[in-house]
Every structure is written in structure tokens, then in C-alpha cells.
Amino acid sequence: MDLIFYSPLSGPVVPLEDVPDPVFAQRMAGDGLAVDPIDHRVLSPCSAKVIQVHRKRHAVTLATDEGVEILIHIGIETVSLDGEGFQVRVSDGQRVSQGDILIEFDADLIARKAKSLMTVILVANNQRFHPTNLFQGLAEAGRTPLFLVHIEDHPAGTVAPPVDHALPPVESEPIIVEAEHGIHARPAAALADTARRYQSIVEIVRPSGKAADAKSVVALLGLEIECGDSIRIVARGADAKEAVQALNSVARTAFGRTDEKPSVSPVEKIVTPIFGAPAVEEEPGVLRGVSASPGLAVGQVAKLVRPVVQVDEYGQDSELERQHLHEAVALVRRDIEVEGAQAGESQSEILLAHRIILDDPLLVTETEKWIGQGKSAGWAWQAAARSCEEQIRSLKSGLLAGRAADIEDVALRVLWRLTGVEPQLPDLTDQSILVAEDLPPSILISLDRNKLAGLATVRGGPTSHVAILARSMGMPAVAGLPASVLALSEQEEIVLNGDDGVLETKPTRARLEKISAVRNEREALRVENQKTAQEPAVTRDGTRIEIAANIGGAAEAHEAVKMGADGIGLLRTEFLFLDRAEPPTEEEHLAEYLAITAALGDRPLIIRTLDLGGDKLPSYFPQIHEDNPSLGIRGVRLAQERADLYRDQLRAILRIGSRGRYRIMLPLVSGVEEVLELRAVFASLAQELGVLALPEMGIMVETPAAAMLADRFGAVSDFFSIGSNDLTQYILAIDRGHPTLGRKLDSLHPAVLRAISVTVEGASYHGRWVGVCGAMASEPAAVPLLVGLGVSELSVSIPMVPEIKALVRSLDLANCRKLAEKAVGLDTAAQVRTLVKEAFPVANAIAETGH
Ligand code: PEP
Ligand code: MG
């Protein structure tokens, strides 16, 4: 029997050897043809099952019922487009007929940005199936037979050569893939091409145990190996050792590794190759990331391996599948509620987001659709979640990428419940430091906190979920570490320095003793600081700095008072009402504010108006497609789009009346007119309510525009509070949720310090005070600089109140000014940090111990 494969695209057909990519031209990825497309959609060349759509959306693999594996790779070097310009129309596991649309693409964009639009259509398992009758000329999509594949009735050559199972497997050390785009089609082809030269069975194995035949490009792509992932090469057979060595060499040559460790270790272990650039290990035993949560921990490595879930594609009866799904969702909802009951503010926010995702209408409808088509509940849920993730990721916002990670997390929880697979939680000792590529919040929350001493991750940065959770738990954390951290051995003793974003391996006894002394000193200090926490923070020369706290609700208001906060410098009101299908009513707003003012007594409260948008998107928020949500309808811009939401909130704030001391603060302001407009709305609402005395209205300085025009804003704003998280994001043009650039997102960057300096100067023209409520205010190294720049209020995370107060008491304003002056004249954030360390060793006791 001959299978016909029709051209997926219209355009001139090009022989493989003319494709401008040696991997394809030399048939390393398979045999077939290329088309130089004149249209913009890829049709399925045959009836088949979609094995995998590449996560960057530029390639798809299919398998026919006869076992022919087809790889369609759109354009050359298109993996680097990161999905831009591709719209996927199918999902993994889906059955497709010949002529169905698989992927649509923006031909102009790809032609401009990629090396070539030439699209290859290959039989990937061409050791077994051979394309024949290759077409020449101009193909018409869906109509021109591109090639044939002959299928034997009784396949002869498909049986793998016998392998002597008595031979021990040969295994490489863990390999950290550092090539930017992971193992995509071309690296996979290079690996497969090499592996096929050996008789042995060769597999690429993930730490979870999931393995793929290294001789199959399709199987390798199915492993979805990304940059930072850890893999091993395992071979079994007479030439296993040679095979593993050869794949090592592929890693070196095909993926640009230049530094080479000694070749083969004495027994059967093969050296660790690194795909791409070597891991940065500036000093031996020191891995540098970024500080995600301060503190110092000594503990044993516990690695997190995420379980792999297998689901059957087809279900039993649709009703039964629906019932299974509802039961699983209900169980996860209950789990989240149980966790929520014990959670702190930050964890609650994340759990809240998870609850919202569970009920997301798009996810639910999409799952229902698949179940209705005979799919199993697990398959349907997985496909729907992937498609939701895909849509969110296609918005290209790093902030939203965090949300996609939440969907992935929730999707897994439901799948675990559906399949009865338990997440393989790591074995924790009493002092474990969790090492993971990424840490889903649900797993972190489910671990025994008493046994966790710290968190070390490859992904994430200071504003990632891990960072937020770690800070709320008071646990040291370092994110953005080189992927080689994943190769540390289980139980290995390490030091995690959350202050400096450093992980130290193989600490010496002297080093451990030093650390232990520092920690004891810190604990004694913490106890000491707590004793004076209720007293004001006044510098040595008599300058009072108000130390307030950031909160998300009434429970935290009580906690803040207990910890000695002078007031609340930031109430994030949007967190009160994220978990809702309907916006909060005026009465609901008011009830919350009264609960908080009651907890505060006569301490001042700054109520920030709803700061929705970006990554905070409740279902009542206008669902508008934005290419760059962090540059879109966020913060005070909502007052225009959803005047009703702002109106209800402003009325409630006005109705607090004399039952509290409060100010109002507008987020993400970039124009003086925004403040004037809201002042007018506020005044007219006050008239409506018969309120005579209006509270002070200030702005957050989060945009470069607000900083630059502080002298102009001073005429219309009663005070300023620097939102350093967003200000850093916008000054440095680095998405605050970016998965890999987190390391560069440093608020101590001289450009950010200059923006603060300009703000303070502008504010002074009108005698306005400036505070800081972003994470920077809670960072001891930043405090002398902020004080020196003229900031008079710091609103910090609740646990940091006593320490920041004590630190302020140790400062001298004149010295801080000199320090700030020097800092704004430096080039880099690293130089600023060194400067502070040298000048204020007390604020950096950990760094003092130096490695
Ligand atoms: C900030 O941007 O620094 C800030 C305090 O606001 P949020 O973190 O809520 O965006
Ligand atoms: Mg902000």
C-alpha cells in the first residue's frame, strides 16, 4: 500500500539539499521536501494524529496510523521567533484529516524576521519509511501529492537489532541544556542522526524518568526539553559507551560548547556536556542568581521532580467523563480552600488566582467541547488548559506568562486528582533547601514548611511567585540561578545566601561556622529589634522616617500593628476583590475599609484605588486584547474605561468619614490630567454625599513620566509614593515577571535611583513628601540610599518592620546623602551594591562573611 502525502502549502517545491540549513539539507531530521510558501496556512498532508505542536508554534509532528512520522517545520531558524507570527489551530493528541488547517502564520513577519520561509515536510522516521515519487514544480496546498510512502503489509526491517540486556546501561552525568531554545527540531535532528549510527538502544531521559528514543526526532521533540532542563543520555548495547560519547560530542560541536571537561570517568559515567554557553560559575562553588527573599540558610539539597501524567485520549461515556471531571475539580477546589484557610496574604492571593482559573469559562467550555467529542476527562482538561495557556502566552507579556504558569499549575492539580497520581514531593530533611527548575505555588504550599530552609530556582526573579511566597514565609530564596544548579546531588550540603542571591556548594567547616555565628547574631538582633518595634524610627541626627507596612486586607492590618508599623503605606485594594465574578459594591468596599481603620486606630492608612490590569485580571475587568498589557489599561487608566468601578470605590472611601485617618493614592499615573480628572470626580461625589472635607490625594510614582514631571504633579498631588517595582520595570524596560531577565531587574540601578532623586527634588518645589512602597523599601541595602535621597516614609512588608526601623535608627542623614550622591553617579547596580556594602557593613552582615 502507498500512502499519499499532499502538499501542506502552495508554492515552488525545493529539494532538501537546497534548503539553507545543513541539518535539513543533510537529511539529519528526516527525508522529504521543502516548499517555499506563497500562502500562510499549513494543511495536514494526510490523516494523522497530532503528536506535538512545538511550544514555539513553528513546527508540528504528526503520526499516521501506519506509524509514519511527519515533521513540518515552518521557515528556517524560526524557533527564535518565540511563537511570534504563528497561530496554532490544533492541539496535541488531536486527530486531523488531510487538508485540515494545522498552523496559520504571518508570512510577511516571518520573511522579515527569520532566515527563510522555506518550510520542510519530512518523514522523520526515515530509517523505517522512505518517501518516494518526490514532486517537482509548483505545488498547490491540499491538492498536489508531494510524495508517497510505501507501507509493507508485513514490515520486515522494523525490528530493532537484539540488545544484550545483560550489559549494564551506560549513562551520562546529568546534562544541563543551556541552548536558548532548548532541544528544538535542529538539535533533535543532530542528536537523532548521531544516535542512529549505533546499534544500542539510546535514550534521552528527563529527571522525572520520562524517556525518549534518541534515534527519533519526533520522540525527542515530545520531551519538550527547554533551556535549563536537565537530561541524561542512557544507552544499552554493545556500542553503548561509544554512543554516549558520540552524543557528548554532538553537544559540544552542534551546540557551541567550547570548554571541555576531562572525557570519560573511570567507570561507566560519561562527562556532563553543556549545550550552549557554560554555566556561569565565577568562583568555584559559587552559583549566582538573584535575591528573591533575604536570609541565610544552610541545608541539604532536596530536588523537586514533577510527576508525569499519562491520560487516555478517548473516554467512556461523556456523562461519566463529565462527572469524573467535576469530582476532580471539586476536590481541587476543596484542597485550595483548606490551603487558603492556613495561608498568609501572599499565598491567599495566589490561591485566589487558582480558584478563579478553576472556574474560568473558557477553560470549562473548551473542556466540555472535547468531552462532547468523545475524549476522556483528563485528555479534554489537558487540551483545554494547554490552549488557554497558549492564548495567554501568545499575548507576549512576561506578566501574563506568570498567569499561564498558574493555569499550568491548576491544570496539573486537576490531572493529578483525575488520575490518582500523587505529586512526588521531595524527601525533606529537617533543613532542606529545595532546588527546582521552577516551583509551582501549589507544591510549595503543600510542603512541610518546618523542614524547608530555603528555595533555589532556575526560573523566576524578585517579583516571581516563588519570591512573593518566600518573602511571606520569611524564607531565604534565590531565583534565576544557572541551570547547572539542577545537577547538584540530593542531600548535598549547600549554603543559600538570599541577601546576595548566591548559592554556595561544598562549604568548608570554617565557612559553616562563620555562617552559624552570623545567623545566631541575626536571631538575637531580630529579638532585640522586636522589643523596640513600637517606637518611632529616628536617625542618629534626629530625622524621623515613618515606617509603614503594605497590606492586602484587614487581617494584615492587625498583624502590621503588632509588628510596630507606624501606619499603612499601601493598601492594595484590588486584592480584596479579585476572587469575584462581579465587581465589589460600594457597601462591600466600605465594610473592608472600616474593618481596616478599626484595626489601625489612629494610625494613618493610604488606600490605593483599584490597580487592575496587567496581571491582575478579575472576570469583571474589561477583557480587551492588548499586545503589551503592562503598557495598557492598568491602574488609574481604569478610571476612564470603567468609571463605574472607580465611582463605587471613591464613594465608599468618602463614606469612611471621621472613622479613620486615611489618604487616597492613584496607581500608575502618567499624566497630570489624570489626577485633575479624578480630583474633579472625587469632588463631585463628595458633593453628592454631602462630604465637606476631602482626604489628601497622592500619586504613585511608577512611570518615568511621573518621576520626570514630579514638579508638575506636585501642584495637584498631596504626596508621592514610589512604586519601585513598576518604576524599575518601566525605567529598565524589563518586564517585572520576565522568566529569565529577573536577575537584571535591580531597583538599585543608578537609573532608578536618579528617577527617585528627580521625584524628590520635584516634590520639594511644592513641599510634598515622598515615600516608597515598592519592594525596594524592604531591602536593607536600599534603605540608606532612599533616606539619603530624601525619602521620608518607607512602606515595607510586615515582617521587615522591626528590622527596617532598627536600621534607620543606626543611620546618619549626612552620611546617607553622601552615599546617595555617589550612587547616582555610578554605572551599574552592582557598583551601587558594592558601595553600600562598603559603607554600611551592618546592613549587610551576611555579605560580610564573604565566601
Ligand atoms: C510597585 O509597583 O512598586 C507597587 C508597590 O505596586 P504593585 O507592586 O502592587 O504593582
Ligand atoms: Mg505597581
Side-chain angles (χ1 to χ4, degrees):
M1 172 179 75
D2 285 330
L3 285 185
I4 305 175
F5 292 82
Y6 290 88
S7 182
L9 293 148
S10 299
V13 171
V14 180
L16 271 193
E17 47 275 20
D18 292 345
V19 172
D21 183 313
V23 169
F24 293 127
Q26 292 166 23
R27 292 182 166 72
M28 286 157 83
D31 199 1
L33 283 171
V35 176
D36 206 358
I38 51 174
D39 51 12
H40 63 281
R41 49 168 70 146
V42 176
L43 308 184
S44 178
C46 54
S47 292
K49 184 168 160 181
V50 177
I51 300 297
Q52 193 207 15
V53 179
H54 194 283
R55 62 183 187 282
K56 301 283 171 76
R57 303 195 285 271
H58 66 296
V60 56
T61 49
L62 309 171
T64 69
D65 289 343
E66 296 75 14
V68 182
E69 294 174 349
I70 298 289
L71 166 68
I72 304 177
H73 189 285
I74 306 167
I76 303 299
E77 293 183 13
T78 36
V79 65
S80 57
L81 295 182
D82 233 350
E84 190 185 357
F86 297 99
Q87 292 291 332
V88 176
R89 299 295 175 220
V90 289
S91 40
D92 295 359
Q94 186 178 331
R95 287 207 71 84
V96 287
S97 303
Q98 190 252 313
D100 285 355
I101 300 175
L102 302 175
I103 297 177
E104 291 184 87
F105 56 92
D106 181 339
D108 287 347
L109 183 141
I110 298 169
R112 263 186 288 117
K113 296 198 167 181
K115 187 168 172 186
S116 162
L117 244 184
M118 214 174 273
T119 296
V120 294
I121 303 100
L122 305 173
V123 173
N125 49 348
N126 60 317
Q127 334 84 291
R128 195 171 149 203
F129 298 104
H130 307 287
T132 60
N133 298 52
L134 302 180
F135 179 80
Q136 293 179 346
L138 190 66
E140 192 184 342
R143 288 177 184 268
T144 306
L146 210 53
F147 49 74
L148 304 180
V149 169
H150 183 68
I151 309 289
E152 303 268 354
D153 287 343
H154 302 289
T158 54
V159 183
V163 167
D164 183 351
H165 287 276
L167 290 173
V170 179
E171 193 177 312
S172 72
E173 294 282 359
I175 297 166
I176 307 303
V177 177
E178 291 206 341
E180 191 184 351
H181 302 293
I183 299 194
H184 57 94
R186 289 187 303 130
L191 283 177
D193 187 54
T194 307
R196 284 174 196 171
R197 295 180 198 155
Y198 297 88
Q199 279 201 341
S200 299
I201 293 174
V202 190
E203 288 185 319
I204 302 294
V205 186
R206 274 181 168 280
S208 62
K210 190 174 176 189
D213 180 356
K215 297 177 184 177
S216 161
V217 174
V218 172
L220 287 174
L221 291 175
L223 277 185
E224 299 192 299
I225 296 163
E226 294 186 39
C227 175
D229 286 355
S230 166
I231 57 169
R232 279 175 301 121
I233 304 164
V234 180
R236 196 188 287 268
D239 53 5
K241 196 165 173 175
E242 290 77 11
V244 176
Q245 269 174 331
L247 290 187
N248 259 347
S249 145
V250 169
R252 281 200 307 277
T253 52
F255 309 115
R257 180 169 185 260
T258 48
D259 69 328
E260 199 176 330
K261 291 186 184 171
S263 61
V264 186
S265 50
V267 201
E268 295 295 86
K269 289 271 182 190
I270 304 295
V271 70
T272 306
I274 308 286
F275 292 175
V280 187
E281 205 177 299
E282 295 156 4
E283 305 156 49
V286 174
L287 294 172
R288 286 188 191 278
V290 61
S291 163
S293 176
L296 188 60
V298 177
Q300 293 80 41
V301 170
K303 291 203 269 191
L304 176 70
V305 181
R306 293 233 237 160
V308 180
V309 183
Q310 305 279 9
V311 285
D312 290 336
E313 179 175 350
Y314 294 99
Q316 311 162 19
D317 159 61
S318 296
E319 261 325 297
L320 208 60
E321 295 298 330
R322 262 186 209 109
Q323 194 187 327
H324 286 159
L325 180 71
H326 290 155
E327 282 165 9
V329 168
L331 283 173
V332 173
R333 193 175 289 121
R334 196 205 57 196
D335 292 346
I336 292 177
E337 269 159 25
V338 172
E339 287 157 12
Q342 304 147 7
E345 176 199 350
S346 312
Q347 294 164 19
S348 306
E349 283 159 23
I350 289 162
L351 291 170
L352 201 62
H354 287 190
R355 271 217 309 273
I356 297 169
I357 291 166
L358 268 186
D359 298 325
D360 187 284
L362 192 68
L363 191 58
V364 173
T365 334
E366 184 89 1
T367 311
E368 288 282 338
K369 186 189 87 187
W370 286 121
I371 292 181
Q373 291 177 17
K375 307 289 183 185
S376 73
W379 193 97
W381 173 260
Q382 201 169 30
R386 281 203 187 137
S387 131
C388 287
E389 271 175 59
E390 176 83 19
Q391 285 179 35
I392 285 188
R393 290 214 159 95
S394 71
L395 295 178
K396 289 182 293 178
S397 153
L399 273 175
L400 284 181
R403 223 173 141 79
D406 281 334
I407 296 181
E408 193 187 344
D409 195 4
V410 173
L412 266 178
R413 296 183 76 156
V414 172
L415 279 177
W416 289 335
R417 281 296 189 179
L418 265 173
T419 54
V421 172
E422 288 289 321
Q424 296 163 16
L425 295 181
D427 276 340
L428 301 182
T429 58
D430 280 349
Q431 285 292 309
S432 285
I433 297 180
L434 198 60
V435 175
E437 185 179 342
D438 195 8
L439 198 49
S442 61
I443 290 206
L444 179 54
I445 292 168
S446 61
L447 291 171
D448 182 351
R449 208 179 301 176
N450 297 323
K451 293 185 166 179
L452 266 185
L455 309 173
T457 62
V458 173
R459 290 175 187 270
T463 52
S464 64
H465 276 150
V466 178
I468 295 169
L469 283 173
R471 283 198 293 267
S472 79
M473 293 172 169
M475 186 178 294
V478 178
L481 282 160
S484 52
V485 71
L486 300 174
L488 291 176
S489 314
E490 202 67 49
Q491 301 293 336
E492 182 176 338
E493 184 161 60
I494 54 172
V495 172
L496 193 74
N497 178 346
D499 285 8
D500 295 335
V502 170
L503 185 149
E504 299 168 22
T505 60
K506 308 201 175 13
T508 58
R509 180 179 288 274
R511 176 68 178 146
L512 290 174
E513 278 166 11
K514 222 170 186 181
I515 288 167
S516 163
V518 172
R519 289 177 64 187
N520 290 341
E521 214 173 280
R522 292 194 142 206
E523 181 53 20
L525 253 176
R526 198 189 61 76
V527 173
E528 205 51 37
N529 291 341
Q530 187 68 53
K531 288 185 194 155
T532 53
Q534 299 296 336
E535 288 160 28
V538 180
T539 59
R540 295 217 306 258
D541 53 284
T543 310
R544 166 92 194 258
I545 306 290
E546 192 164 324
I547 308 299
N550 293 347
I551 62 165
E556 292 81 39
H558 287 283
E559 186 62 18
V561 168
K562 215 165 74 197
M563 293 298 277
D566 297 329
I568 299 303
L570 171 63
L571 166 63
R572 289 179 159 109
T573 58
E574 63 281 359
F575 285 154
L576 294 169
F577 307 110
L578 268 184
D579 179 21
R580 303 270 300 239
E582 294 295 320
T585 63
E586 183 181 321
E587 296 306 323
E588 286 169 324
H589 273 293
L590 181 60
E592 286 290 345
Y593 304 150
L594 289 179
I596 294 168
T597 52
L600 293 180
D602 63 355
R603 292 174 187 80
L605 161 69
I606 297 183
I607 304 173
R608 176 172 78 180
T609 54
L610 292 171
D611 184 18
L612 294 167
D615 62 344
K616 293 179 261 186
L617 295 168
S619 47
Y620 54 84
F621 186 78
Q623 305 290 313
I624 311 160
H625 171 84
E626 294 181 307
D627 273 353
N628 283 309
S630 51
L631 302 180
I633 298 169
R634 284 195 56 190
V636 77
R637 297 166 193 178
L638 188 68
Q640 292 249 314
E641 286 300 315
R642 288 295 304 263
D644 55 327
L645 295 183
Y646 254 62
R647 184 191 142 85
D648 289 346
Q649 179 172 35
L650 293 178
R651 275 180 61 94
I653 293 175
L654 282 165
R655 284 174 59 196
I656 301 172
S658 59
R659 288 172 283 183
R661 271 182 68 197
Y662 64 96
R663 298 183 175 104
I664 184 164
M665 179 160 77
L666 308 176
L668 209 85
V669 172
S670 54
V672 171
E673 74 285 359
E674 290 166 339
V675 187
L676 288 173
E677 278 160 24
L678 269 163
R679 276 195 178 272
V681 172
F682 206 44
S684 97
L685 291 176
Q687 211 172 16
E688 233 175 75
L689 290 164
V691 174
L692 297 178
L694 290 180
E696 285 186 3
M697 185 183 275
I699 64 162
M700 291 196 71
V701 178
E702 296 176 288
T703 62
M708 298 289 193
L709 289 187
D711 56 334
R712 312 300 305 159
F713 276 104
V716 296
S717 310
D718 297 308
F719 64 93
F720 295 85
S721 183
I722 307 230
S724 53
N725 306 334
D726 276 315
L727 186 62
T728 308
Q729 151 169 269
Y730 294 125
I731 292 268
L732 299 183
I734 297 177
D735 198 322
R736 66 191 267 191
H738 196 283
T740 53
L741 291 178
R743 203 190 262 244
K744 295 187 169 213
L745 201 71
D746 194 335
S747 296
L748 266 64
H749 193 289
V752 179
L753 300 180
R754 283 193 190 196
I756 297 173
S757 170
V758 169
T759 306
V760 174
E761 194 186 333
S764 72
Y765 294 152
H766 299 271
R768 308 300 187 196
W769 61 266
V770 179
V772 178
C773 62
M776 188 182 188
S778 306
E779 199 187 335
V783 170
L785 292 167
L786 294 174
V787 170
L789 288 168
V791 163
S792 60
E793 181 238 32
L794 298 170
S795 192
V796 307
S797 67
I798 299 171
M800 290 303 285
V801 170
E803 183 175 336
I804 300 291
K805 278 192 162 183
L807 172 58
V808 166
R809 291 186 198 112
S810 73
L811 301 177
D812 174 86
L813 188 59
N815 287 344
C816 291
R817 282 192 181 137
K818 277 190 217 141
L819 183 83
E821 244 169 60
K822 276 194 200 153
V824 295
L826 293 175
D827 293 338
T828 64
Q831 287 172 355
V832 174
R833 288 192 176 274
T834 309
L835 176 79
V836 180
K837 266 176 204 173
E838 282 164 3
F840 288 90
V842 181
N844 292 279
I846 290 174
E848 275 261 275
T849 64
H851 189 258

